[in-house]
Amino acid sequence: MPRPFLRPTEQEKKKFFESQSTKEQSRVMNSATIDVSLRKTRSAEYVKQFSKLDIGGKTWNLEQMNQALQIFDFEFSELPDESKPVGIVAACDLGAPYEVHTLDMQMETIVHYKKGHKLPSQMEKARGLALHPSYAFVEVYTDHLRVIEKNGEVSVIEDV
Amino acid sequence: MANQRVIHKADLRAIEKNLSNIHSGIEHMYHYVMSVQNKVQETETKLDQLSNDFYTFLQEELYAKQLQLAETRLVRVRQKLEKEYGHYDDIRRRATGILQAIDVGIVRDEVVTNTTEEFMLSAPKYWLAPCLVALSAWIHDDKEIAEKALHEAFRRNDQKTALFFALIMRRYDRLQASTLWLESYFYLQDVHAIDREVVVLLDSFTNGVFNPQARQLCLRQVEEWYKTVNSLEPDAHKSWEEPLKQFIAPREVAQEYPYLARYSPTFEACKNALEFAHSHQLLLDFLQTVFGGNVQPLQRVHDAVDEMLAHLVTDFDEEELPLRQDDRLLNLIIDENGNKERAQARFQQERSAWEQKFSFRELMKTLAFFPQSVKTTKATQRFALAFCKEWLVHAYKDFTAHHRQAFPTEVEIEIEGWKGRSRDGTNQKELVASLTEHLKKKYKKQGKIKLGKKHIFAIAGGGILSILGFALTPFHIAFLILGILGLAGPGWYLWVRRQNKKAHRLAAEEKKEEAINALLAIIAEIVDWRREYMKADEKGTQVSEFIDSIRKEQYVQAQFDQARAIHTS
């Protein structure tokens, strides 16, 4: 029986596999981890909370807002602040003439928008998707959108 | 009495007659102008038709020429392949021929030895020649020659040699040796630049050619590659969006929705949205075809290995790659009936299959979506799709969201300078009212007659004549006639104005009716278009469910073993 000429020793094999996880790997680790984390299916509680921003009327009281922010912080607890969504856009259930509403995570405010009224710059791009029946809401980031389905699964739209 | 004047009743019949003549002249002119206008419209339509026919003719002529050219070139490329690499073919055919001859033991050892040695002389750079010499020496237990030949084979192409012997060892049930050769092969690979023949390895793996131990090794290696790629490129799935575009097929949306095509500036977006929505069904059909039915396995492991060996030695020699690329492109042009653009777009999609080295990401993409370009089996296609299910899910979701974002929530409408928009046709009443108002204003404005030179001349000339006539009447009764005649000028103008207004009102009514009907037709089409989009888009759920149901461990066959390997996901 012929023997392979290039049969590697156990040590060589180990070295070979280790070489594949090089410095490059550690360099991209942070952004990779963030991306993987943001891809994770959102929790049912989070989806429920943020797909119904109009529950209880047009505005939230302090208690409601605090509860929502707690859920939000818990959902993104692994992430640095700059990687978290800057806002959320969802379809509005208040009825005509209201169409969508936004939650500004920095200002911690909810605004309901009527048909034809423009949303603040980055959020306008999420409008159509927020109205799509397959999606619960859209998370708006500084440079991209993440569309959340009713079951919490995530789709990404880059370069917006 | 001498000063008494007798005023006779004026005879205006001549004036009336002339006015009537003018009237019928104008009416005649009006009808004439209308008929000319109709003819112009008719000619325009015919001209459009003619230009379309001419364009189609030119297109067909071009496709026919390109088809003919591709067929001629294909013959030339194949001749070149035959001329430059034809002698390899002989060696390739004999590789499996030797193995089968040895199996049945009807060829003398000397013949096999002589033949393989001849290959060494006839193909100085070809890796397969020393492999066959080593094989022949191994069979005749000539260790020295076997080792020398193996050294040479490794020098010429170490990776193909390792894979070749892994398969040969499997053929003779030298399972441990086969696994060792595989280990050697994997050791030589780099996740970002895997050799093309890895396709044969994966094909052998998914078709159950290897023993359980070797299969475990393969699976472990593929998983290792997958993990490495995922950790280095978190957006590895992005490149999987590209092949999904092939499921967006062009549709004759303009024929289905002619009013939308004519009156909506948003039509292109509507068309794209509809074409995208129908891609869900096409993707679902594709997946159902890939995962539906059974893969027909070969009865004996020998046959399976021989098939893989033939594949390895025939389809993966880098020297021939440029010519094989040309061959594929020309074949695609023939497939597309001469449509070079479409063929090039298809070729571009499977481009990675023609690179000398694969990255793991591109390799799996090629196996999943373009298996025909690397001639792999359905089993491997299933494996690639199932194994990289996560990439498929992410790519599909992102691809879908991206296209849904481009869906025009509101459709713009433009008729006769009026602009409106509708989401789902529920604002029909408001739109009709707005368009009616617009048309009313527009035609009212257009209905005013501008004073031409002849009108000014008729009014001013007639007026002056009339004033003069009446002023001079006391001097002579004949001036009265002049005065009355002078009235004909303004009278003619008033009459023309009335006639024009009447004609204009009729034309405006007609145009208004046309515009309103067009608006109603567009709204009806918006409703239908939206309904069709929604219905087609809902299929996306079925696609997601189908992908969810795929289990990667189901798609590695093990029909040649008594023992079954257990794969963990």
Side-chain angles (χ1 to χ4, degrees):
Chain A
M1 184 207 305
R3 292 174 55 222
F5 277 50
L6 286 180
R7 184 182 170 190
T9 62
E10 283 305 308
Q11 205 177 1
E12 280 173 329
K13 273 196 270 180
K14 200 178 165 195
K15 202 175 160 191
F16 168 68
F17 287 121
E18 276 174 357
S19 71
Q20 297 201 357
S21 46
T22 53
K23 285 174 189 170
E24 196 190 353
Q25 204 170 346
S26 58
R27 189 175 59 77
V28 292
M29 188 59 88
N30 281 340
S31 69
T33 316
I34 290 169
D35 202 69
V36 169
S37 180
L38 285 172
R39 259 284 178 193
K40 278 184 193 162
T41 303
R42 303 289 184 261
S43 69
E45 195 186 10
Y46 171 79
V47 175
K48 193 179 163 195
Q49 180 70 43
F50 288 93
S51 50
K52 297 281 174 197
L53 289 179
D54 38 25
I55 273 183
K58 222 172 152 184
T59 51
W60 274 359
N61 58 34
L62 194 64
E63 194 189 337
Q64 282 173 308
M65 182 57 89
N66 283 340
Q67 191 197 345
L69 290 176
Q70 259 179 15
I71 293 171
F72 180 85
D73 287 339
F74 184 73
E75 192 72 23
F76 299 103
S77 54
E78 308 164 1
L79 296 169
D81 283 349
E82 63 272 18
S83 303
K84 291 178 184 175
V86 293
I88 283 171
V89 183
C92 194
D93 290 333
L94 288 176
Y98 294 104
E99 184 177 63
V100 287
H101 45 232
T102 62
L103 171 60
D104 187 322
M105 298 313 301
Q106 279 148 357
M107 307 287 286
E108 296 174 8
T109 50
I110 298 174
V111 183
H112 300 267
Y113 289 86
K114 293 177 185 173
K115 256 185 198 176
H117 284 191
K118 270 208 148 189
L119 272 60
S121 59
Q122 191 78 336
M123 295 201 179
E124 181 62 32
K125 289 171 183 164
R127 189 185 202 127
L129 287 167
L131 292 171
H132 197 282
S134 300
Y135 301 125
F137 56 87
V138 185
E139 291 171 353
V140 181
Y141 295 77
T142 48
D143 56 353
H144 69 280
L145 304 176
R146 283 181 192 261
V147 193
I148 313 299
E149 286 178 33
K150 285 171 181 161
N151 60 5
E153 287 183 5
V154 183
S155 310
V156 185
I157 298 179
E158 303 273 9
D159 309 321
V160 290
Chain B
M1 199 65 190
N3 287 338
Q4 196 176 4
R5 287 178 193 164
V6 178
I7 300 171
H8 294 284
K9 200 177 176 184
D11 186 1
L12 297 176
R13 272 178 303 176
I15 297 169
E16 277 173 358
K17 196 180 168 194
N18 284 338
L19 278 173
S20 172
N21 283 345
I22 293 168
H23 173 205
S24 63
I26 288 171
E27 203 156 281
H28 177 72
M29 190 58 79
Y30 172 74
H31 289 298
Y32 180 70
V33 168
M34 289 307 281
S35 80
V36 169
Q37 195 181 347
N38 286 342
K39 274 181 188 163
V40 167
Q41 273 176 354
E42 219 170 278
T43 315
E44 263 179 22
T45 317
K46 278 183 183 167
L47 206 63
D48 278 351
Q49 182 67 36
L50 189 69
S51 122
N52 281 344
D53 289 350
F54 184 63
Y55 177 75
T56 315
F57 168 75
L58 279 183
Q59 198 81 336
E60 279 169 5
E61 186 73 7
L62 183 72
Y63 288 166
K65 272 187 185 164
Q66 282 175 343
L67 179 65
Q68 206 177 358
L69 201 66
E71 281 168 345
T72 317
R73 279 189 183 159
L74 188 62
V75 173
R76 221 178 299 154
V77 166
R78 294 214 168 140
Q79 277 172 349
K80 209 172 169 187
L81 262 170
E82 176 61 32
K83 195 179 157 195
E84 290 180 18
Y85 304 104
H87 57 295
Y88 287 1
D89 260 358
D90 193 28
I91 304 174
R92 285 165 184 159
R93 271 197 300 274
R94 294 200 187 195
T96 42
I98 288 171
L99 294 172
Q100 284 168 14
I102 292 165
D103 285 347
V104 286
I106 51 170
V107 177
R108 278 177 291 123
D109 291 355
E110 303 86 72
V111 176
V112 175
T113 311
N114 289 343
T115 314
T116 53
E117 282 169 5
E118 259 177 46
F119 294 153
M120 274 305 286
L121 302 177
S122 62
K125 287 183 195 167
Y126 194 34
W127 66 274
L128 187 57
C131 279
L132 291 180
V133 173
L135 178 66
S136 147
W138 174 60
I139 290 162
H140 306 135
D141 209 13
D142 189 342
K143 195 178 173 191
E144 194 189 339
I145 296 284
E147 284 186 352
K148 277 185 186 167
L150 271 176
H151 267 297
E152 181 55 20
F154 260 87
R155 198 185 60 78
R156 292 186 184 185
N157 196 321
D158 48 2
Q159 309 190 20
K160 283 195 183 74
T161 304
L163 193 52
F164 180 78
F165 279 102
L167 288 168
I168 296 278
M169 292 303 114
R170 173 64 186 110
R171 197 176 191 280
Y172 291 107
D173 281 335
R174 307 281 179 125
L175 303 179
Q176 199 189 349
S178 174
T179 311
L180 291 177
W181 279 109
L182 272 183
E183 276 184 12
S184 302
Y185 179 77
F186 286 135
Y187 178 69
L188 295 166
Q189 300 304 322
D190 169 7
V191 67
H192 300 297
I194 305 172
D195 267 84
R196 298 185 80 243
E197 72 278 344
V198 75
V199 166
V200 180
L201 185 143
L202 290 175
D203 223 13
S204 311
F205 162 61
T206 56
N207 283 287
V209 166
F210 294 126
N211 59 308
Q213 197 189 347
R215 271 208 306 278
Q216 278 296 335
L217 177 70
C218 289
L219 194 63
R220 235 188 2 253
Q221 182 63 53
V222 177
E223 276 170 353
E224 187 65 40
W225 281 336
Y226 183 74
K227 274 184 204 159
T228 309
V229 171
N230 267 345
S231 62
L232 293 176
E233 305 166 45
D235 56 352
H237 64 274
K238 281 270 161 224
S239 72
W240 276 50
E241 282 185 45
E242 193 61 35
L244 295 179
K245 287 181 190 162
Q246 68 181 311
F247 299 104
I248 301 180
R251 297 177 72 85
E252 296 295 341
V253 184
Q255 280 177 19
E256 287 173 57
Y257 300 99
Y259 284 93
L260 213 52
R262 191 172 163 195
Y263 294 106
S264 174
T266 334
F267 174 70
E268 210 46 39
C270 296
K271 180 177 179 282
N272 293 342
L274 206 56
E275 284 174 348
F276 154 72
H278 283 285
S279 74
H280 294 302
Q281 182 62 54
L282 296 178
L283 177 59
L284 188 63
D285 293 345
F286 164 79
L287 291 171
Q288 281 170 342
T289 311
V290 172
F291 288 97
N294 291 325
V295 174
Q296 288 297 321
L298 289 166
Q299 291 303 309
R300 298 186 315 147
V301 70
H302 282 199
D303 297 335
V305 174
D306 287 354
E307 209 166 81
M308 294 303 154
L309 278 172
H311 192 197
L312 169 69
V313 298
T314 313
D315 299 315
F316 296 96
D317 278 318
E318 287 79 6
E319 295 166 80
E320 301 171 25
L321 211 54
L323 285 175
R324 293 206 181 271
Q325 277 183 27
D326 290 347
D327 186 305
R328 177 67 183 156
L329 179 60
L330 292 168
N331 261 312
L332 285 174
I333 296 175
I334 295 168
D335 268 6
E336 292 290 347
N337 289 322
N339 189 335
K340 208 171 166 183
E341 289 71 34
R342 217 183 292 167
Q344 267 166 340
R346 275 180 67 186
F347 184 72
Q348 208 53 39
Q349 284 179 336
E350 57 182 62
R351 180 86 208 164
S352 54
W354 300 99
E355 301 291 339
Q356 289 219 354
K357 303 263 184 189
F358 282 119
S359 71
F360 179 71
R361 188 166 39 99
E362 294 300 311
L363 166 72
M364 296 309 263
K365 184 174 92 180
T366 304
L367 295 176
F369 293 102
F370 313 108
Q372 68 286 357
S373 62
V374 281
K375 299 180 185 166
T376 49
T377 58
K378 198 174 174 183
T380 308
Q381 188 180 19
R382 283 179 178 184
F383 172 74
L385 282 164
F387 190 81
C388 300
K389 181 178 145 177
E390 199 177 307
W391 288 353
L392 178 63
V393 170
H394 289 170
Y396 175 65
K397 283 194 181 300
D398 292 1
F399 173 78
T400 303
H402 178 78
H403 281 87
R404 281 177 180 164
Q405 191 191 25
F407 174 78
T409 319
E410 294 208 315
V411 179
E412 289 173 32
I413 307 163
E414 213 173 294
I415 306 172
E416 301 252 347
W418 170 85
K419 285 179 185 174
R421 45 178 56 221
S422 180
R423 179 165 297 188
D424 48 13
T426 46
N427 59 340
Q428 175 177 316
K429 222 171 165 183
E430 293 88 336
L431 289 177
V432 172
S434 165
L435 177 62
T436 312
E437 187 60 28
H438 167 85
L439 294 173
K440 212 166 149 186
K441 279 183 192 163
K442 182 181 171 182
Y443 288 115
K444 194 175 176 186
K445 212 172 164 187
Q446 283 181 4
K448 286 177 185 166
I449 298 172
K450 283 181 186 168
L451 286 180
K453 275 181 186 169
K454 58 180 179 183
H455 297 124
I456 295 168
F457 180 76
I459 297 166
I464 292 166
L465 208 66
S466 187
I467 292 165
L468 260 171
F470 287 124
L472 295 173
T473 302
F475 300 103
H476 196 282
I477 190 71
F479 285 115
L480 183 65
I481 297 166
L482 192 68
I484 292 166
L485 270 176
L487 285 176
W492 172 75
Y493 168 73
L494 288 173
W495 182 83
V496 165
R497 208 175 76 152
R498 213 184 76 195
Q499 289 301 316
N500 272 358
K501 266 191 173 175
K502 194 177 159 191
H504 181 80
R505 201 178 58 240
L506 284 173
E509 287 298 326
E510 208 173 300
K511 289 255 182 191
K512 271 186 211 168
E513 202 180 323
E514 261 176 42
I516 299 289
N517 286 342
L519 177 63
L520 294 175
I522 296 165
I523 291 170
E525 284 191 355
I526 289 174
V527 174
D528 290 347
W529 162 78
R530 212 179 152 86
R531 197 176 296 148
E532 188 183 342
Y533 172 85
M534 289 300 178
K535 200 177 164 195
D537 193 49
E538 274 169 19
K539 296 270 176 192
T541 319
Q542 285 181 37
V543 176
S544 295
E545 283 168 4
F546 191 91
I547 299 174
D548 271 351
S549 71
I550 300 171
R551 295 280 169 269
K552 71 176 174 187
E553 57 274 20
Q554 290 173 347
Y555 297 103
V556 179
Q557 297 190 45
Q559 74 265 21
F560 302 121
D561 303 316
Q562 296 303 316
R564 283 189 178 266
I566 298 166
H567 303 292
T568 49
S569 56

